[in-house]
Amino acid sequence: MNSMLSQVRAIAETMATSPEHANARTAIIDIGSNSVRLVVYDGPRRIPFTLFNEKVMAGLGASLGKTGRIEPEAMERGLRAVGRFAHLCREMEVQDVRCVATAAVRDAANGEEFILRARAMGLKVELLSGAQEAIAAAHGVLSGIPGANGVVGDLGGGSLELARVRDGAVHDTISLPLGVLRLPQIRAKGPAVLERQVKKMLEKAGWVVEPGVPFYLVGGSWRSLARFDMQLTHFPLPVVHQYAMPASRAEQLTRIVSHVGRARLKDIPAITGSRVPTLPDAAALLSVVVRQLKSSELIVSAYGLREGLLFEDLPPEIRAHDPLLVAAEAEGEAQGRFVGHGDMIERWIASLFEDDEPSWRRIRRAACLLADVGWRANPDFRAERGVEIALHSNWVGITAPERAMLAQALHSNFGGGATVPPAIEGLASAAALKRATLWGLAIRLGQRLSGGVEGPLLASKLEMVGDTLELRLRNVDAELFGEAVERRQRHLAQAMGVKYRLAW
């Protein structure tokens, strides 16, 4: 059976315009109102890896609300960044460079000058409309959180884009002149002015409020606000993607941020100093927006416009693939010894866990795909290595409890037994971690029996027969059942609370 990753590669080949294109590097230069950023991508088309990431806080939109123009210093800073990024792309032999500009260049009276000067550097700048910006941000959320159903809010320096997403598609979109660089002027007019303006803008745009759906946060200022909340709540997992908060938390954060000094905010490692001045205004806008939209909860997305632009270019066949499983398979192939062995293990242990709910099955499959990534580590630290990979790798399409289950499965698979690592205590329920422990012990048994090759798995069967865990082998394969295999079968049976036996 073809793996998901091989299907992605096969489809990518059909899209290629040259023999190298399917595996070529791609890059996006994102000219925003606050920052100018270069991201270079490599790897699977569905979920490419970030090879290089650099931003310059150019502040192109800093004076837009006052003068309607990009100030000379900001213009030069932004163009220097664009020039460096273009040069880096040439040196890195990036085949496909896409350069896009958003609200500041779109709205500034001298925005065309920026575009022309960037063109002289060899870059064709796409000037995105507000609608295009909203659609791209929404596609970014759908790329990183498949099944997202709610309103996406992308807060930039010059504008706020809203998009309704459901059933894997983008529906209504609007773009509002409410970027963090414009908010200080609005809020300076009085405490209730921002609320009135947001309400008026939504009504004028004809936005239909749907109470009770989530609000997905996109944009550096809102992500920084979420990281601040993670510090306040001592959240044990330092991963912002899919971090969730109740909608009421926005108003609480507005009050807290207004009373916390900038020095303390700058001391938080995950918040860059350039974002600190925007946090009070970003929190105030978030509070107003979720109140007006009557949102049910807040969910942070690390994916936004840039990832959405990549996602838009994919055919439906690749878009439909699970980003977690594509990434896990790619990581398993890169780090493991036995290509394709994760698929075999997953099928071999599946009969033990037929009552797993669908969301658990995909985490179990991810664990199988990653079952051999720790082999290079010191044997005394392989279990810790498994936890580190699960918790801190750049996965998307996975919640904090699911990361904890993946960590537990890899911990048990790499020799951690049935113990629960301190790093994941409290992230998932005891029942979920117990189940993941059994996955890990079953994977460990399959790896030891097979030695990483297909034959022993095809010639054997692992299943429950009554209250007994039975490993069935053919007579001609009896020698495969050694002491190490017996020990791992016993450990799995003990964790399951059942008897075990070898059958022929």
Side-chain angles (χ1 to χ4, degrees):
M1 182 174 67
N2 288 336
S3 69
M4 187 178 295
L5 183 59
S6 65
Q7 291 176 47
V8 171
R9 288 172 175 160
I11 296 171
E13 292 288 351
T14 68
M15 300 169 63
T17 56
S18 69
E20 297 78 27
H21 184 76
N23 298 314
R25 293 172 178 173
T26 60
I28 291 180
I29 298 175
D30 179 4
I31 303 168
S33 301
N34 212 15
S35 65
V36 178
R37 186 186 293 267
L38 166 68
V39 184
V40 180
Y41 300 92
D42 206 346
R45 293 286 301 275
R46 174 60 182 88
I47 188 75
F49 308 130
T50 298
L51 190 67
F52 183 84
N53 188 337
E54 181 177 313
K55 74 174 178 180
V56 173
M57 300 302 290
L60 297 181
S63 299
L64 207 57
K66 296 179 181 179
T67 68
R69 300 177 62 83
I70 300 171
E71 292 301 304
E73 184 179 349
M75 175 84 75
E76 296 305 319
R77 190 184 306 121
L79 287 169
R80 282 196 301 272
V82 167
R84 166 175 160 75
F85 295 162
H87 194 107
L88 279 175
C89 287
R90 290 192 295 270
E91 293 292 332
M92 297 172 73
E93 298 182 347
V94 178
Q95 298 295 316
D96 182 11
V97 180
R98 189 171 181 184
C99 183
V100 298
T102 55
V105 177
R106 183 172 68 234
D107 296 342
N110 56 344
E112 183 64 22
E113 177 188 346
F114 190 99
I115 293 174
L116 291 175
R117 292 180 64 181
R119 186 179 299 165
M121 299 176 183
L123 286 173
K124 178 183 177 182
V125 180
E126 295 179 54
L127 189 59
L128 300 182
S129 68
Q132 289 173 318
E133 198 174 345
I135 291 169
H139 276 136
V141 171
L142 289 173
S143 176
I145 310 178
N149 179 13
V151 177
V152 173
D154 181 9
L155 178 61
S159 62
L160 167 67
E161 278 67 45
L162 299 179
R164 179 69 167 96
V165 294
R166 64 173 175 270
D167 300 325
V170 183
H171 297 273
D172 302 321
T173 65
I174 57 173
S175 180
L176 306 175
L178 293 170
V180 289
L181 299 178
R182 302 181 195 255
L183 293 177
Q185 284 185 295
I186 299 174
R187 296 185 70 208
K189 297 175 183 178
V193 173
L194 181 59
E195 182 101 36
R196 289 200 301 268
Q197 287 207 17
V198 171
K199 182 178 180 181
K200 183 177 179 180
M201 288 178 181
L202 291 173
E203 290 174 350
K204 184 177 179 180
W207 185 266
V208 178
V209 174
E210 298 179 63
V213 300
F215 187 74
Y216 296 90
L217 282 65
V218 176
S221 295
W222 277 346
R223 282 195 292 270
S224 294
L225 191 65
R227 291 189 176 100
F228 177 54
D229 188 66
M230 294 166 77
Q231 290 284 326
L232 292 174
T233 60
H234 303 288
F235 190 68
L237 181 63
V239 176
V240 75
H241 185 69
Q242 290 193 243
Y243 178 68
M245 299 174 281
S248 59
R249 189 61 172 164
E251 187 171 347
Q252 295 169 1
L253 286 172
T254 301
R255 293 196 298 269
I256 295 170
V257 169
S258 67
H259 289 90
V260 174
R262 290 189 178 184
R264 182 185 170 188
L265 292 172
K266 288 181 179 179
D267 286 340
I268 299 174
I271 300 178
T272 60
S274 58
R275 293 292 182 191
V276 169
T278 71
L279 291 188
D281 294 317
L285 179 62
L286 180 61
S287 179
V288 168
V289 169
V290 299
R291 190 160 51 244
Q292 290 295 320
L293 297 182
K294 300 179 173 60
S295 305
S296 61
E297 64 176 328
L298 309 176
I299 300 173
V300 183
S301 174
Y303 276 24
L305 181 141
R306 292 178 296 275
E307 293 77 15
L309 292 173
L310 295 176
F311 190 67
E312 288 173 356
D313 284 342
L314 298 178
E317 303 95 313
I318 293 183
R319 285 194 195 186
H321 285 136
D322 188 315
L324 171 64
L325 298 183
V326 171
E329 188 172 2
E331 184 71 10
E333 285 193 9
Q335 300 293 335
R337 293 164 292 179
F338 313 116
V339 174
H341 197 59
D343 275 325
M344 302 175 209
I345 291 284
E346 200 271 335
R347 292 193 293 272
W348 192 74
I349 70 172
S351 67
L352 297 183
F353 308 108
E354 289 179 344
D355 57 342
D356 280 350
E357 58 188 76
S359 62
W360 284 15
R361 289 176 193 168
R362 64 189 291 272
I363 303 303
R364 187 184 76 218
R365 176 164 170 74
C368 291
L369 294 171
L370 295 168
D372 199 39
V373 296
W375 73 276
R376 286 190 178 92
N378 183 303
D380 293 334
F381 298 99
R382 283 178 185 161
E384 288 84 351
R385 172 67 174 152
V387 173
E388 168 69 18
I389 288 171
L391 291 185
H392 301 143
S393 291
N394 196 25
W395 314 119
V396 295
I398 184 171
T399 64
E402 289 169 342
R403 280 182 184 263
M405 292 184 74
L406 183 60
Q408 181 66 61
L410 295 182
H411 176 78
S412 298
N413 171 50
F414 292 139
T419 61
V420 177
I424 65 175
E425 289 179 343
L427 280 177
S429 68
L433 295 179
K434 171 67 174 178
R435 194 62 162 185
T437 297
L438 300 182
W439 298 342
L441 294 175
I443 294 168
R444 186 170 173 82
L445 170 59
Q447 285 194 313
R448 178 56 61 189
L449 173 70
S450 68
V453 294
E454 183 179 34
L457 296 180
L458 295 177
S460 63
K461 188 174 184 179
L462 183 68
E463 63 181 343
M464 285 298 302
V465 179
D467 62 351
T468 301
L469 176 66
E470 182 176 281
L471 174 58
R472 182 172 293 276
L473 292 169
R474 301 178 307 187
N475 287 329
V476 295
D477 298 309
E479 292 175 339
L480 288 173
F481 192 76
E483 291 181 5
V485 175
E486 188 275 335
R487 184 168 57 251
R488 293 192 180 183
Q489 185 185 5
R490 182 176 73 250
H491 290 164
L492 174 58
Q494 289 171 344
M496 296 174 71
V498 299
K499 297 179 288 186
Y500 73 98
R501 68 171 175 243
L502 175 67
W504 309 103

